[in-house]
Amino acid sequence: MLTFLLRRFLSSALVLLVVSFVIYLLLDAAMDYYYDLRTSTSPNIAALYESRTRLLNLDTPVIVRYFLWLGGVGGCLIGSCDLGTAWQSGQEVTSMLPGAIGNTIKLVTAATVVSIVLGIGVGMISAIRQYTGFDYFITFVSFLLYSLPVFWVAVLLKQYGAIRFNNFLGDPVVGWTPIIVLTVFAGLFWMAALGGSAKRRLITFLVAAAATFATIYYILATGWFQSPSVGIVGVAVTGLAAAIVVVFLSTGLKNRRSLYTGLTIAVLGIALYIPLQWLFFYVPMNWLLILGLAVVTVLVGLGVGLAFGGPDKWASARTGAIIAVIISVVVFFDRIFQEWGAYNRHPAINGRPVATIGASTPNIEGSFWFLNLDTFTHLLLPSIALILISFATYTRYTRGSMLEVMNQDYIRTARAKGLGERTVIMRHALRNALLPLASIIPVDIITLIGGAVITETIFGWNGMGKMFIDAMNRNELEPVMAYILITGILAMVANLVADFLYAVLDPRIRVQA
């Protein structure tokens, strides 16, 4: 293993060194460091040219300048990192990176997790329902989303997801026509997704349509848009539903110990809802404390599963941990949205909470929950833009991989042995279908961390992508090279992670030195 890691590190470092050298030369040739002086009418223009040359060390050969820059990069290994200076602002590149990386991670984390979960889930169902109406619909939507240019999607989101939606929030009235259309669509969607006999399809349609209509009516009748919240009832419904669904997918409802674990976790979540509200109110919160609570949540889920024991106790423990995380996320967002009224009435918001630009509202102050609600409203639209594109990719990859796996001999053997369809799909087919995704997902995540360049630029999100674009526009070489260096290192890490994921998902694969 050590030999393998050393070889990969040395080969990747060599590639990164060559790439950085070539890009440095190309960028130096392409950038016009005197662009603002060419139209200047200043009487001391010659002195200005000379000053700019000294400032950027342009009288030194470009190869020498590259090795000087590389020496500063090498200092990062001994704690004296020097990535240069953005000459127009005079800001050190090392001081620009923490904020840019932090904003980009904020942006891509939720978008990546949601798109992966939805993409794999929908792609798997689409493969199972091959050549049905549901499969054709998902295929059409996936290709449509995949072909849409992200800048166009972003503009539409600004128009309809922010401007029009903020107008709607001022007077949230919905006519009967859209309610009926949404109700019928939801019924048809779930009917096609779950399939079955004609009787089962009809029951699914009626239940899904009734649930959708009841949800819409509840939202409009209670003024939910003016004061959105989940509440203890919502936590109870979500927790019990999550327990049933996760147990069904993970171990099957016939596994009583796993089912008892899930239901126990749901009951604990409901019982702890009120105490947690007191905790959130009286104890000043920060992300370190939230992370600690998240760790405790996972440990409680694992502990409940292990306490029920049984021959497959770790499956119960895994199920309990997943359900605990789902419930904790619901409780977390419920507490954030309790700030909605105060946030919406804030003078800086003025009743238009969905933001179209920036990572936060300028000069806004408040509690931990208040500020996180502000971050959420700014994250909403750029995250949706990223989710739509990534969702289409993961759906198509998962569908194709699942179809290939489902035709393998070992799947037919598993069915011939009498295993249930859930066990065949979840434990045999899906795990092997994820193998191709293991080489795609890490690289996609790293690519997004490198900066969703177009999305960040359109939404004014000060992340890595916008830093790169701004530096290019201002002819600042050092920030661009820092961006190239960081994304290159992350690409190396992504490929290494992909190799190890292959070994985890498929025991036949072993790392060879």
Side-chain angles (χ1 to χ4, degrees), residues 434-448:
L434 291 177
L435 277 172
L437 291 175
S439 61
I440 298 169
I441 291 177
V443 176
D444 280 356
I445 293 174
I446 296 306
T447 302
L448 288 175

Side-chain angles (χ1 to χ4, degrees), residues 29 107 109 176 234 273 279 383 494:
L107 176 61
T109 299
W176 281 105
Y273 177 80
L279 176 68
S383 294

Side-chain angles (χ1 to χ4, degrees), residues 88-105:
Q88 293 219 43
S89 64
Q91 187 176 5
E92 295 287 336
V93 175
T94 50
S95 66
M96 298 169 59
L97 290 177
I101 294 175
N103 283 334
T104 294
I105 290 176

Side-chain angles (χ1 to χ4, degrees), residues 241-369:
I244 299 298
V245 172
V246 173
V247 170
F248 172 76
L249 294 176
S250 179
T251 61
L253 297 177
K254 293 182 179 180
N255 188 328
R256 295 302 179 187
R257 296 180 185 273
S258 183
L259 179 60
Y260 296 154
T261 298
L263 294 176
T264 301
I265 294 297
V267 171
L268 281 175
I270 298 168
L272 292 174
Y273 177 80
I274 298 299
L276 284 173
Q277 300 307 305
W278 284 87
L279 176 68
F280 294 152
F281 183 81
Y282 286 107
V283 177
M285 287 288 134
N286 55 60
W287 278 111
L288 184 61
L289 186 54
I290 293 294
L291 180 61
L293 291 174
V295 172
V296 172
T297 298
V298 173
L299 293 177
V300 169
L302 292 172
V304 171
L306 293 175
F308 277 102
D312 199 7
K313 60 182 181 180
W314 283 107
S316 298
R318 178 190 64 218
T319 302
I322 295 173
I323 297 169
V325 168
I326 293 173
I327 296 175
S328 64
V329 169
V330 174
V331 173
F332 177 79
F333 277 100
D334 171 73
R335 180 61 187 87
I336 286 180
F337 279 108
Q338 290 177 24
E339 302 289 330
W340 183 268
Y343 179 77
N344 205 25
R345 293 189 300 269
H346 194 280
I349 305 303
N350 195 26
R352 304 187 69 82
V354 181
T356 59
I357 194 167
S360 61
T361 303
N363 302 319
I364 196 169
E365 296 180 356
S367 66
F368 171 83
W369 306 105

